[in-house]
Amino acid sequence: EIYAFLGKRNEAINYQMKAIEIQLLLFNEKNIFLAKSYNNIGEFLQTLGNAKEAFDYHIKARNIQEDLHTEVNLELAVTYNNIGAALQ
């Protein structure tokens, strides 16, 4: 996230994609780390003006979070907020 803070969002996306590769090797496809990475990529893409692709990543994050959590939680609320922002 530091690259995004520095305004290097494309580079930030590249590092998030590397993180996803590792997460998929270490865990199954339904893990909270992967959901967080998908949300981060969605946020970066949205700031780059790519709302459609951002929406797709937020949906991936939501699907994982809904599968993992049986109760209301803050991470899912953040994801719903991100989806709403991408739909604007």
Side-chain angles (χ1 to χ4, degrees):
E1 292 181 21
I2 190 71
Y3 282 100
F5 179 75
L6 295 172
K8 298 180 179 183
R9 286 175 181 80
N10 286 324
E11 197 165 345
I13 291 170
N14 289 334
Y15 278 103
Q16 286 292 323
M17 296 303 285
K18 288 179 182 186
I20 287 171
E21 289 176 19
I22 294 168
Q23 291 160 356
L24 289 172
L25 289 173
L26 295 174
F27 307 106
N28 62 32
E29 292 185 10
K30 300 285 183 181
N31 70 77
I32 199 65
F33 303 109
L34 187 58
K36 178 66 174 165
S37 291
Y38 286 151
N39 249 336
N40 287 344
I41 291 171
E43 289 180 42
F44 301 152
L45 288 168
Q46 192 162 337
T47 61
L48 292 170
N50 193 341
K52 168 62 176 119
E53 195 173 355
F55 174 81
D56 293 341
Y57 275 97
H58 292 313
I59 293 299
K60 287 180 179 187
R62 184 211 56 196
N63 291 343
I64 292 170
Q65 291 168 335
E66 286 181 345
D67 285 347
L68 292 176
H69 298 293
T70 57
E71 56 194 51
V72 176
N73 65 77
L74 183 58
E75 291 173 5
L76 187 56
V78 168
T79 300
Y80 286 150
N81 186 55
N82 290 342
I83 291 170
L87 289 171
Q88 291 182 355

